[in-house]
Structure formats: C-alpha cells, structure tokens
Amino acid sequence: MQYTNYDTFMIVELNEIHRRSIVKLGKLTGKVAIVTGASKGIGAGIAKSMAVEGASVAVNYSTSKEEADRVVADITAKGGKAIAIQADMSKAADVQRLFKETNQAFGAPSILVNNAGVFKFEPVEAITEDEFHREYNTNVLGIILASQQALKFFPSEGGSIINISSIASQNPVPHSALYSSTKAAVDTLSLALAKELGPRNIRVNIVAPGHTETEGLHQIGLIGSELGNMLIASTPLGSRFGQPEDIAPSVVFLASDDASWLTGERINASGGVH
C-alpha cells in the first residue's frame, strides 16, 4: 500500500497522541489512603508521595487547615486526588468522621498511615499529667482508634497500616522519656496488631524516622544548635538532617503490593542512625 505525505503525517500524529495518552500506573493506583497529621513535615511528604504513585489521599490535620489545604493544592495541581479532613486523632468521634468522609469522597480506604504525633522534650520532673495524656492520647490511643475504624472500612481483601515510630523508641536521648516511651508503645502495638490482623489480610508495619528536619525541630531550636550538629555528625549516610522526602519512599513501599508478604516489620529511615 502506498502512503501519501499526508497519510504519513497523520500516522505519526496519531502515534504521538496515543503515546501521550498512555498513563503511567503508579504503585498505589486505584487505592485510597488516609495519612494522619499530614498538613506538614513527614506527613505532608508521605501524602504527596502517595498521590504521585496514584493513590487518592485524605490529608488529615488537627488545627493547621491552611497548611493542609496547601498540601491538597500541591497534589491536585500535579493531577493527583486529595482532600483535607480535620480530625483530632485522640477523639473517637473525630476519627470515625475522618473515615466516613474519606469513604464518601473516594471510596473505601485500604491504606492507613498513622503519622499524627505530638512531643515535648523536658526533664522527667517537669512532666505533668496533662502532658502525659496529651502525648499518649495522640501518639498511641490515636493509632488504636484509627485501626478500629480501618477494620470497619477496609475492603474485604484487606489493606495496609503503616505506623510512624521513631529511632527514639530504641535509642532515647535525655529529656525524651515521655515521647520515647510513646514510640516504644507504637512499636509493640504494631507487632501485636500485625499478628492479630494478619488473618484478615491487613498488614501492619513500622517506619521509624531518624533525625528529620521538620517544623517541630525548628521550634525546639535543634536546627543549627550544638546538639543538632552533633546529631548530624553521627549520621553515617550524610552530613545533614533527614528530609520528609527521605521517609516517604519507605512508607509507599510498605503500602504497595511490593510489600504484600511483609507484616510486623520495622524500617529505620534514619540515614544509618540506630
């Protein structure tokens, strides 16, 4: 068959249009994820990375609405799907609403990232009952409340829960007794849930960040301090603090089908610090 120049031109154009129409499927395409405490820092990095990999993401926040909206805007500007949902993860009614609104917006979630957390470093004699309950209610009870809702909303084929711990759970520093003990509780809770929920095909894993540059570290004055410089010097993989984008890939991996045979595992995303 003979082709005219016009025919050849059209064939080339149609092939180019077809090439551009092919959408690259990400590791999480078609999945719905809830990321708690996702308005900034590590949580925001995780939410953005999950959206890039194709997940529809519920960006949870407690008080930082403007920052959560910025995360959503960043995701949607790049063609992703996201919605900001306010919920205090220490309150059962809020957690129930978070899952309900996510389900209404995107369908049943199958990924839960328990990242929301609070901390205050101070000597043990300064710890109050109120601060004890504030940290344990968010850092530990929040995971239990969210996991309970995951059992109600996850699809019958199961899903993935990733709990964000810290290297402080195994290597605490002075003045971190309260915070470090909450993260140790996160580790043990995760291992117990992995065994309990495995028969339902719900995987439960842990990512433990190391020294990561977040708003919290800036607030306590660690960035640029003598202690901060010592922590950087002790990091085998580089002379810097970790960044949220250093943590997110491990979470995405554990949420994906690439980790379908992993549960009860802990990844230290710490640059080699233990």
Side-chain angles (χ1 to χ4, degrees):
M1 180 181 293
Q2 297 295 318
Y3 291 100
T4 66
N5 288 338
Y6 177 78
D7 291 329
T8 302
F9 173 79
M10 289 302 298
I11 291 171
V12 171
E13 282 296 294
L14 288 171
N15 285 338
E16 177 65 9
I17 291 171
H18 176 69
R19 183 186 68 80
R20 292 177 180 176
S21 69
I22 296 174
V23 178
K24 180 182 177 182
L25 298 180
K27 291 179 180 292
L28 306 178
T29 295
K31 297 181 182 295
V32 177
I34 294 174
V35 183
T36 71
S39 63
K40 52 192 158 186
I42 291 173
I46 292 169
K48 293 176 183 179
S49 293
M50 288 195 157
V52 167
E53 290 295 338
S56 299
V57 184
V59 177
N60 162 252
Y61 69 97
S62 179
T63 58
S64 305
K65 182 181 188 304
E66 185 176 343
E67 292 173 305
D69 287 341
R70 280 200 294 266
V71 174
V72 170
D74 184 74
I75 290 172
T76 56
K78 296 175 182 176
K81 295 180 180 180
I83 184 174
I85 303 177
Q86 189 281 331
D88 181 337
M89 298 307 297
S90 69
K91 298 180 179 178
D94 279 21
V95 177
Q96 292 169 10
R97 179 172 49 77
L98 169 62
F99 275 78
K100 182 178 180 180
E101 291 184 9
T102 300
N103 187 57
Q104 290 173 340
F106 298 129
S110 62
I111 299 168
L112 168 63
V113 182
N114 286 307
N115 169 75
V118 294
F119 68 91
K120 183 178 181 180
F121 285 3
E122 57 188 352
V124 65
E125 61 266 29
I127 296 173
T128 64
E129 289 184 42
D130 286 345
E131 183 59 24
F132 175 91
H133 290 296
R134 184 180 81 98
E135 294 192 32
Y136 267 87
N137 285 356
T138 297
N139 300 3
V140 183
L141 177 60
I143 291 179
I144 294 174
L145 295 176
S147 298
Q148 289 174 336
Q149 292 304 307
L151 295 181
K152 297 178 181 179
F153 283 88
F154 274 16
S156 58
E157 58 266 29
S160 176
I161 298 174
I162 301 103
N163 295 326
I164 305 303
S165 180
S166 168
I167 61 169
S169 70
Q170 297 179 352
N171 186 20
V173 297
H175 297 178
S176 73
L178 184 55
Y179 172 74
S180 296
S181 66
T182 69
K183 291 304 183 178
V186 169
D187 289 350
T188 302
L189 173 61
S190 301
L191 297 179
L193 289 177
K195 294 179 178 180
E196 181 176 343
L197 303 184
R200 306 190 200 191
N201 202 32
I202 296 176
R203 300 181 294 106
V204 184
N205 291 289
I206 307 161
V207 171
H211 314 303
T212 307
E213 186 173 358
T214 62
E215 182 183 90
L217 292 194
H218 280 279
Q219 287 178 343
I220 64 175
L222 191 60
I223 305 300
S225 68
E226 182 178 351
L227 175 58
N229 292 334
M230 289 174 58
L231 295 175
I232 289 173
S234 69
T235 303
L237 276 185
S239 55
R240 64 178 178 85
F241 279 103
Q243 299 297 316
E245 53 265 31
D246 294 320
I247 314 303
S250 296
V251 180
V252 169
F253 164 69
L254 289 173
S256 75
D257 291 340
D258 290 344
S260 61
W261 196 235
L262 296 182
T263 195
E265 299 295 342
R266 170 176 157 137
I267 296 177
N268 284 344
S270 61
V273 179
H274 293 277

